[in-house]
Amino acid sequence: MNGSDLLRPIAGVYGAAVRSRLELYRRGFFHVRQAGRPVISIGNVAVGGTGKTPFTLWLASELQHFKQRPSILTRGYGRSGRGSLLVSGGAEPIAAAREAGDEPALLARALPGVPILADADRVRGAGRVEALFPDVSVHLLDDGFSHVRLARNVDIVLLDATDPDAGGALLPAGRLREPLESLARADLIVITKIEQASPERALAVALRYAPGVPVYGARTEVLGVADDRGEAVHPIDLPPGTVVGVCGIARPDSFAATLESLGISPTETLSFNDHARYGSFRLGRILRTLEETGATAVVTTEKDAVKLEGLLPVPIYRVRIRSRVVESSFMADLLTRLAQKPS
C-alpha cells in the first residue's frame, strides 16, 4: 500500500465536507451575496499549476481592449497580513510582495491601471473596490471557483492539458480541491498549456463531467527574459554556467521546460514549494549554490522575482510568460454571458 492509498480515507472525509458545503449553498442555508458590478470567476478544481495567473493577466488586458475597467479580487495567498489590502490603486503597486502575496504583486506590476485588492472576504473586497473606484465595470475573481459566497455572472474553469484530472484523487491523497463533477458548475472551460500536450484528455474530462459547457484552448506564450529594470534581455546573454535557476511554483518541471525552450542552461536549478517565502534558510541555499557553482546571476519566474528583489547580491532575470485563448470567439461568448444575471 502506497502513501496515497493511506490518505484516501481522509480524502473521502474531505470530499464529503466539500459536497456538503456546496449543497448548503445550493439549498439556500448559506447566503450568496452579490457585488455591485458583474463578476467573472477564474478558477480550477485542482491545487496550483493550471496557469491561472498568466490567464488572468491576459483576460484583464483583453477586457481593457473591449473598453471595460476590470478590477481583480484576490485572496492574496501567502501574504504576511490579514484583512483587506489595496495592492494596487490602478497606477502603480502600493503594497510589496510580502504584504500582498506573490501573485497579487505580479499582477499589480504587469497591469498598471487595474485596481487589485487582496481580501479573503471577496464580498467585502468587491464593496471596497466599488467605493474607491466607482468606474470599475467588472470584477475578476482570482482563484474564485470554490468561493461560492460571491455570486458570479461567469464561471471560467481552467483545466491543465498536461494533467487534466490532477491525478483523479481529492486532497490530501491527490491534487483535487473539488470533485471533478464540480466542473458542471462551470460556464466556460479553458484548457491551458495546449502547446505542451494534446487537449484530447482534457476534452474527455470536460465532456464527461460538464457536457454542454463550451470548451476553449489556451496557449502559454513565452514573451522572453527581462532584467531587474524590466528591460528585455536576449537569452543568449545568459550562457551556460553563469546562472542559477530558482522557482517556487506548483509545477517546477514547466519552468525547466521553459528555460530549455529559451536555450538557457542553468548550472543548477533550485525548486521550492509553491508560494515559497524567501527567508534566511532559502536565501542561504541560493547564496551557497551561487558560491559553489561560480554563477553570477539568478533566473527565475515573474512570481518569484517580485519576492527576491533586493535580497540577492547578483542580478535577477525573470522569465515572462502569458496565456492566450486561441479561439477568437471566446471574448464574444464571455461578454454575452457577462450581461446575464449572476448565479
Side-chain angles (χ1 to χ4, degrees):
M1 181 177 291
N2 59 37
S4 61
D5 289 334
L6 292 172
L7 292 172
R8 285 190 184 279
I10 303 175
V13 174
Y14 169 81
V18 169
R19 291 183 179 93
S20 296
R21 173 177 171 272
L22 293 172
E23 183 65 15
L24 288 171
Y25 270 105
R26 191 185 71 80
R27 295 192 176 197
F29 289 98
F30 293 161
H31 294 295
V32 176
R33 309 293 182 184
Q34 293 194 6
R37 306 288 185 275
V39 173
I40 301 171
S41 168
I42 303 166
N44 50 33
V45 292
V47 178
T50 57
K52 177 177 56 62
T53 301
F55 180 83
T56 301
L57 282 171
W58 174 81
L59 182 56
S61 298
E62 284 296 295
L63 287 167
Q64 289 176 309
H65 290 321
F66 282 86
K67 310 303 180 184
Q68 297 283 335
R69 176 90 194 277
S71 81
I72 297 177
L73 306 176
T74 177
R75 176 187 171 191
Y77 185 84
R79 63 192 180 109
S80 58
R82 296 190 177 187
S84 184
L85 175 69
L86 185 64
V87 180
S88 174
E92 59 184 31
I94 294 171
R98 181 172 293 274
E99 301 173 275
D102 48 16
E103 290 173 353
L106 187 164
L107 291 167
R109 172 169 295 193
L111 294 168
V114 176
I116 300 172
L117 190 130
D119 195 331
D121 185 338
R122 312 298 181 88
V123 177
R124 178 175 63 188
R128 186 177 179 202
V129 166
E130 290 161 12
L132 292 172
F133 307 98
D135 61 333
V136 161
S137 61
V138 59
H139 299 297
L140 295 184
L141 186 59
D142 177 50
D143 198 13
F145 188 56
S146 298
H147 195 91
V148 293
R149 181 168 172 260
L150 179 61
R152 66 286 314 277
N153 297 68
V154 185
D155 247 320
I156 301 173
V157 178
L158 308 183
L159 288 180
D160 182 351
T162 69
D163 189 21
D165 65 356
L170 287 163
L171 293 168
R175 294 179 46 246
L176 287 173
R177 65 171 75 174
E178 285 197 39
L180 287 169
E181 53 259 35
S182 289
L183 289 171
R185 303 202 318 268
D187 296 301
L188 300 171
I189 291 176
V190 175
I191 301 173
T192 59
K193 304 181 186 179
I194 60 173
E195 80 288 348
Q196 296 183 31
S198 168
E200 295 305 317
R201 284 179 58 213
L203 281 168
V205 170
L207 182 62
R208 177 179 178 183
Y209 293 101
V213 175
V215 180
Y216 294 90
R219 182 179 299 277
T220 303
E221 299 176 342
V222 181
L223 303 185
V225 179
D227 61 17
D228 301 70
R229 300 182 300 277
E231 297 179 1
V233 174
H234 199 287
I236 199 171
D237 295 327
L238 303 175
T242 65
V243 298
V244 166
V246 174
C247 69
I249 57 177
R251 302 287 297 277
D253 54 324
S254 66
F255 178 63
T258 299
L259 293 183
E260 184 178 358
S261 72
L262 289 167
I264 299 174
S265 301
T267 183
E268 190 170 335
T269 298
L270 301 176
S271 299
F272 302 106
N273 58 293
D274 198 14
H275 302 288
R277 293 185 181 183
Y278 291 99
S280 57
F281 175 76
R282 292 189 177 96
L283 288 174
R285 276 195 63 190
I286 297 171
L287 291 171
R288 285 194 300 274
T289 303
L290 287 167
E291 182 178 357
E292 291 167 0
T293 61
T296 56
V298 163
V299 60
T300 188
T301 69
E302 287 186 284
K303 191 168 79 168
D304 291 293
V306 297
K307 294 181 290 188
L308 287 168
E309 289 174 342
L311 298 180
L312 295 174
V314 296
I316 300 172
Y317 297 96
R318 66 199 70 197
V319 179
R320 301 178 63 237
I321 63 171
R322 295 293 182 270
S323 184
R324 178 180 61 83
V325 176
V326 298
E327 293 91 352
S328 60
S329 59
F330 173 80
M331 285 304 298
D333 191 355
L334 174 65
L335 292 172
T336 298
R337 295 168 184 273
L338 193 61
Q340 297 174 357
K341 185 178 179 180
S343 58

